[in-house]
């Protein structure tokens, strides 16, 4: 700025040492502001603009160079810059909010509002790189005979069942394992749960209580139909030095074993809970 003023004939070259002092003072102020962690970058920027004006005014006073042009450059000009910066800040903030909203929506299942497989992939990467996580339980779930519900009562009723099932699971998992338990929907009637820093036995006990809840409480659809549902589930612990993707695949393979052996029960790495009824007895019950 001083060089420009010199080229314009506003400042004489003999005052070059003032220019160096101004630069040192302003640079020192900027370094202090960048290390001032308790204030935002936005506030730091405005402090820098204000300090630049003050430094320039002091320099003009020392040189007895006050003039309308110089004073305007040191005050009004910087004020205009500050106004444009404020507008830019709000514009960037709105864009950031839009981006975050789009990212959030892209990680949610449109029907149930649960996290989707994209969010699961990100969560697995986060857990794998978090040294504070000491145990991870992964579960694969499937609503029993869901295709029969869709074929018998239609997809609208099927969507009601999915929403009901998702709501119950999300509330139960989040309540039992706050900040450590999440439910994901892969599509259709397939779901995944990920619980960290809790034992497999704790997750197993919770799923047993959820299973009893579904057994004892029917879903009442908008058309007045009552449906009783059950689910199949597999739970497995993440092993040391094992890729989390491998754990997820093992849970998925275990679930297929459950579905091929009657459905409606929970299998874990340690024990099985077999259904109290035969597979034919566990078909969807409906009452009008």
């Amino acid at each position: 700025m001083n060089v420009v003023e010199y080229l314009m004939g506003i400042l004489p070259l003999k005052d070059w040492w003032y220019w160096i002092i101004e630069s040192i003072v302003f640079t020192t102020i900027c370094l202090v502001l960048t290390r001032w962690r308790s204030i935002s970058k936005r506030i730091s920027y405005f402090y820098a603009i204000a300090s630049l004006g003050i430094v320039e005014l002091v320099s003009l006073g020392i040189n007895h160079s006050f003039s309308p042009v110089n004073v305007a450059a040191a005050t009004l000009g910087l004020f205009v810059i500050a106004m444009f910066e404020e507008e830019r800040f709000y514009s960037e903030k709105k864009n950031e909010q839009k981006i975050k909203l789009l990212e959030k929506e892209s990680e949610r299942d449109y029907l149930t509002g649960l996290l989707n497989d994209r969010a699961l992939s990100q969560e697995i990467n986060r857990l794998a790189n978090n040294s504070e996580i000491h145990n991870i339980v992964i579960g694969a779930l499937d609503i029993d005979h869901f295709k029969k519900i869709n074929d018998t009562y239609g997809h609208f009723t099927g969507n009601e069942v999915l929403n009901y099932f998702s709501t119950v699971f999300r509330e139960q998992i989040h309540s039992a394992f706050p900040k450590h338990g999440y439910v994901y929907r892969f599509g259709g009637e397939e779901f995944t749960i990920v619980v960290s820093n809790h034992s497999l036995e704790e997750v197993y006990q919770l799923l047993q209580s959820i299973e009893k809840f579904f057994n004892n409480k029917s879903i009442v659809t908008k058309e007045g139909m009552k449906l009783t549902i059950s689910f199949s589930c597999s739970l497995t612990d993440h092993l040391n030095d094992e890729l989390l993707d491998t754990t997820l695949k093992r849970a998925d393979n275990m679930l297929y074993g459950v579905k091929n052996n009657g459905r409606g029960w929970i299998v874990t790495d340690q024990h099985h809970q077999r259904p109290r009824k035969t597979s034919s007895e566990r078909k969807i019950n409906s009452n009008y």
Side-chain angles (χ1 to χ4, degrees):
M1 184 177 62
N2 288 327
V3 172
V4 171
E5 290 177 340
Y6 163 71
L7 294 175
M8 294 175 62
I10 298 174
L11 293 179
L13 186 59
K14 63 182 180 63
D15 295 329
W16 63 269
W17 59 280
Y18 279 120
W19 307 352
I20 295 177
I21 293 176
E22 285 180 3
S23 300
I24 293 174
V25 171
F26 183 62
T27 301
T28 302
I29 292 173
C30 289
L31 288 173
V32 171
L33 290 174
T34 57
R35 286 165 174 75
W36 193 353
R37 302 299 182 185
S38 60
I39 61 174
S40 65
K41 290 184 178 180
R42 175 192 174 199
I43 300 299
S44 296
Y45 186 83
F46 284 109
Y47 281 172
I49 292 176
S51 65
L52 179 60
I54 293 172
V55 169
E56 181 65 13
L57 288 174
V58 171
S59 177
L60 292 174
I62 293 174
N63 292 320
H64 304 288
S65 300
F66 281 115
S67 69
V69 174
N70 290 343
V71 173
T75 55
L76 296 178
L78 293 177
F79 178 73
V80 171
I81 292 174
M83 289 180 60
F84 277 106
E85 174 61 20
E86 181 75 2
E87 184 64 28
R88 185 192 65 80
F89 171 80
Y90 279 114
S91 178
E92 286 188 356
K93 188 175 182 180
K94 288 181 181 179
N95 289 335
E96 288 176 359
Q97 290 174 343
K98 289 179 180 178
I99 292 172
K100 288 181 180 179
L101 179 61
L102 290 173
E103 289 178 346
K104 185 176 181 180
E105 290 178 347
S106 70
E107 295 176 357
R108 293 282 175 180
D109 174 59
Y110 73 98
L111 178 62
T112 63
L114 292 178
L115 296 166
N116 58 22
D117 56 343
R118 181 173 183 266
L120 175 60
S121 178
Q122 294 179 352
E123 176 67 5
I124 286 178
N125 290 331
R126 185 186 69 82
L127 292 174
N129 296 306
N130 191 340
S131 60
E132 296 181 358
I133 300 299
H134 54 75
N135 187 61
I136 302 171
V137 177
I138 292 181
L141 298 93
D142 199 306
I143 300 176
D144 294 330
H145 307 292
F146 183 73
K147 186 177 184 300
K148 181 178 177 64
I149 296 175
N150 274 336
D151 292 344
T152 304
Y153 307 108
H155 290 284
F156 287 106
T157 299
N159 288 344
E160 286 188 63
V161 171
L162 284 172
N163 278 312
Y164 179 76
F165 183 85
S166 301
T167 299
V168 171
F169 252 95
R170 178 173 55 229
E171 291 177 351
Q172 292 292 325
I173 294 292
H174 288 183
S175 176
F177 312 114
K179 298 182 179 180
H180 290 285
Y182 297 93
V183 185
Y184 304 83
R185 184 190 176 205
F186 268 19
E189 70 275 26
E190 299 178 2
F191 299 83
T192 298
I193 60 173
V194 177
V195 179
S196 58
N197 288 357
H198 289 274
S199 68
L200 185 146
E201 186 63 29
E202 289 178 277
V203 181
Y204 176 75
Q205 293 297 331
L206 176 65
L207 292 181
Q208 278 192 312
S209 68
I210 296 175
E211 181 188 44
K212 291 178 182 177
F213 174 86
F214 285 125
N215 287 336
N216 296 328
K217 188 172 182 179
S218 300
I219 301 172
V220 180
T221 69
K222 293 179 181 179
E223 297 179 353
M225 293 182 295
K226 290 184 178 180
L227 302 177
T228 301
I229 64 171
S230 64
F231 64 90
S232 302
C233 178
S234 62
L235 292 174
T236 185
D237 271 320
H238 172 245
L239 305 178
N240 292 333
D241 300 324
E242 179 183 51
L243 294 175
L244 280 169
D245 283 338
T246 303
T247 313
L248 184 62
K249 290 177 182 177
R250 181 169 64 253
D252 198 46
N253 290 333
M254 290 168 59
L255 178 61
Y256 277 105
V258 175
K259 293 166 68 174
N260 291 330
N261 286 277
R263 300 176 184 260
W265 53 293
I266 304 169
V267 62
T268 75
D269 289 332
Q270 287 84 27
H271 50 73
H272 296 197
Q273 180 201 4
R274 295 190 177 278
R276 299 182 183 87
K277 301 178 182 180
T278 64
S279 59
S280 60
E281 292 174 325
R282 293 187 67 86
K283 290 182 179 179
I284 302 300
N285 299 317
S286 62
N287 299 302
Y288 292 88

